[in-house]
Amino acid sequence: MNCREFTEFLHEYLFGDLPAEQQAEFEKHLAECPWCVAYLDSYQKTIELEQAAFSAPEDAPPPAEAPEELVQAILHARSRAS
Ligand SMILES: [Zn+2]
């Protein structure tokens, strides 16, 4: 298995859709290729973020990392309104 094949079957691997034989090939490649380990890691994080975004309730609080300018604009608008 090479890196290109690895990325092609990454999704199947993560969701357990690969035959055992191919899964073993995957793990063998992972053991010797730091690039694919890093790729797998970022791929998993992307999936987690997507799932978190889809499962977030409508009235969830805004993300903590709101841009500073936006925060200031909201605070400014509030102070004028009161
Ligand atoms: Zn690789």
Side-chain angles (χ1 to χ4, degrees), residues 2-3 6 29 33 35-36:
N2 59 36
C3 295
F6 186 92
H29 184 79
C33 182
W35 187 87
C36 284

Side-chain angles (χ1 to χ4, degrees), residues 12-75:
E12 281 84 350
Y13 173 73
L14 282 175
F15 288 87
D17 290 339
L18 279 184
E21 200 179 299
Q22 234 175 333
Q23 197 169 325
E25 286 289 308
F26 244 79
E27 275 150 19
K28 210 168 81 184
H29 184 79
L30 267 181
E32 61 198 23
C33 182
W35 187 87
C36 284
V37 172
Y39 187 84
L40 173 67
D41 196 51
S42 65
Y43 192 87
Q44 274 178 313
K45 286 203 177 84
T46 307
I47 290 175
E48 281 167 22
L49 284 178
E50 275 173 10
Q51 285 174 344
F54 280 123
S55 62
E58 293 273 322
D59 58 348
E65 66 273 23
E68 181 63 18
E69 285 165 36
L70 179 64
V71 175
Q72 290 303 325
I74 293 169
L75 290 177

